Amino acid sequence: MELDSIDCMTSSDVVDDDEIHHHHHNQLPSLSKIHSNNGNNNSTVSSAVHPSTTSVHELLECPVCTNSMYPPIHQCHNGHTLCSTCKTRVHNRCPTCRQELGDIRCLALEKVAESLELPCKYSSLGCPEIFPYYSKLKHEALCNFRPYNCPYAGSECAVVGDIPFLVGHLRDDHKVDMHSGCTFNHRYVKSNPREVENATWMLTVFHCFGQYFCLHFEAFQLGMAPVYMAFLRFMGDEIEARNYSYSLEVGGNGRKLIWEGTPRSIRDSHRKVRDSHDGLVIQRNMALFFSGGDRKELKLRVTGRIWKEQQNPEGGACIPNLCS
């Protein structure tokens, strides 16, 4: 089976006929650590708990799953506690003394938890917030300092970390194409496009305006119609992503399609972005028409650019800042 291939030319590249071959999507090992390049390349993020609350915090740790317990907190007749999720897992038997649990709640421990204030578990990544015990979990699910998931779309990669770490991870572990500049010119090639309904081409990462952007190109079924889709994701949070815009263009035989939009943050998975159709969507027949020839081989050229929106100090309107 022939491999997919990509031709990539930045604005400073020389055009040639060499093609960059698509890499097989190897499964990477799952990592349990959260990586950061902030002072230590392999630092593990942990909850920084004040010494005076450490012992109470340990009391609120479920002995089965070791997660923090939230109401209802259950206990056996001997006072051993566990969370409501694990109560069903241990078949209503105390994991400590093996006595029947019944339906006794530990109201005292629930009240103690209400009085606690703890730092966000991402404090070592820069979050300065302190929250009541029962609000902490909700904040951490949306904390702006929480690590990012690896944006690679070719496999279910479990690596998480800050942006500098993930950039190195994409380059060294996934071997993605890395480019500098805010314009791009790619050719996506597939020798048997009608035989493949779902495919993911190699991710490409661009560095411009001091930020990193991921260019995705995929084939999938939209209802009953086979389509291709190109879209850009921003390696940062959603608020930062709104400062940038991008355009994508495909064409051939005197026709062209143009897409303009705002890149989505990598907080949104590539599948979520794809399923929302937030990008340049091209029906397969149209893509083969753009490819020219006998329309039996995909040779689709996608060009685009990224720019930063700047506020006009006089009129208040946004004006594009193009990358030189």
Side-chain angles (χ1 to χ4, degrees), residues 25-324:
H25 299 145
N26 294 325
Q27 191 83 6
L28 291 181
S30 173
L31 299 186
S32 59
K33 289 187 176 180
I34 299 172
H35 299 278
S36 170
N37 276 355
N38 184 15
N40 188 343
N41 288 345
N42 295 305
S43 62
T44 303
V45 179
S46 59
S47 297
V49 181
H50 193 276
S52 62
T53 61
T54 299
S55 58
V56 179
H57 188 259
E58 290 174 351
L59 286 175
L60 289 164
E61 184 178 277
C62 175
V64 178
C65 65
T66 70
N67 293 326
S68 297
M69 294 187 290
Y70 292 86
I73 298 174
H74 296 276
Q75 70 173 29
C76 71
H77 291 280
N78 293 323
H80 304 125
T81 57
L82 80 165
C83 70
S84 57
T85 302
C86 291
K87 182 174 183 287
T88 57
R89 293 170 56 191
V90 297
H91 306 292
N92 205 36
R93 289 283 176 183
C94 175
T96 303
C97 66
R98 309 306 300 168
Q99 295 294 313
E100 186 175 351
L101 285 168
D103 292 312
I104 306 173
R105 284 178 61 176
C106 187
L107 299 178
L109 194 55
E110 291 179 9
K111 285 291 185 182
V112 169
E114 285 182 5
S115 66
L116 285 181
E117 288 192 345
L118 298 172
C120 172
K121 73 175 180 179
Y122 302 123
S123 59
S124 61
L125 289 179
C127 182
E129 303 293 340
I130 295 178
F131 291 90
Y133 182 80
Y134 292 141
S135 303
K136 180 173 174 284
L137 203 62
K138 183 178 180 180
H139 160 78
E140 288 170 352
L142 300 173
C143 178
N144 289 333
F145 293 90
R146 72 190 188 278
Y148 295 89
N149 295 320
C150 173
Y152 189 74
S155 63
E156 296 300 324
C157 180
V159 171
V160 296
D162 60 12
I163 299 303
F165 172 80
L166 288 180
V167 169
H169 165 67
L170 288 170
R171 180 188 63 240
D172 301 333
D173 298 328
H174 291 295
K175 311 298 182 184
V176 306
D177 298 323
M178 310 288 293
H179 298 276
S180 295
C182 300
T183 61
F184 47 89
N185 186 339
H186 274 36
R187 186 176 67 160
Y188 295 96
V189 178
K190 188 71 178 177
S191 59
N192 55 343
R194 297 186 184 277
E195 298 177 15
V196 179
E197 302 296 345
N198 293 280
T200 300
W201 275 256
M202 175 56 66
L203 180 72
T204 306
V205 176
F206 295 94
H207 181 235
C208 63
F209 299 111
Q211 306 288 347
Y212 291 91
F213 300 83
C214 299
L215 177 64
H216 297 262
F217 188 76
E218 301 191 15
F220 62 99
Q221 289 285 124
L222 183 55
M224 297 297 293
V227 298
Y228 298 98
M229 181 175 173
F231 57 92
L232 201 71
R233 286 199 293 164
F234 174 73
M235 293 189 70
D237 64 34
E238 182 182 353
I239 296 175
E240 289 181 282
R242 293 172 189 162
N243 294 324
Y244 301 91
S245 297
Y246 75 102
S247 65
L248 296 172
E249 180 178 320
V250 294
N253 293 320
R255 277 84 169 168
K256 64 181 178 181
L257 293 175
I258 299 175
W259 162 270
E260 286 192 2
T262 301
R264 296 279 286 271
S265 166
I266 60 171
R267 294 285 189 207
D268 292 332
S269 69
H270 87 282
R271 184 176 295 276
K272 180 178 179 179
V273 179
R274 189 197 74 180
D275 292 347
S276 68
H277 313 145
D278 191 2
L280 178 63
V281 180
I282 315 148
Q283 290 189 353
R284 184 167 66 190
N285 287 339
M286 181 65 73
L288 294 176
F289 173 75
F290 287 153
S291 298
D294 57 7
R295 304 186 189 182
K296 293 182 179 180
E297 184 177 20
L298 179 73
K299 292 181 179 179
L300 191 65
R301 189 169 296 282
V302 179
T303 62
R305 65 185 180 94
I306 305 166
W307 66 91
K308 186 175 183 179
E309 302 287 357
Q310 286 189 330
Q311 198 74 18
N312 187 336
E314 296 180 0
C318 287
I319 56 175
N321 178 18
L322 301 180
C323 181
S324 57

Side-chain angles (χ1 to χ4, degrees), residues 1-6 19-25 189-192 201 297:
M1 178 177 177
E2 295 185 26
L3 298 178
D4 305 331
S5 59
I6 301 174
E19 293 180 345
I20 303 173
H21 286 287
H22 159 256
H23 294 255
H24 289 294
H25 299 145
V189 178
K190 188 71 178 177
S191 59
N192 55 343
W201 275 256
E297 184 177 20

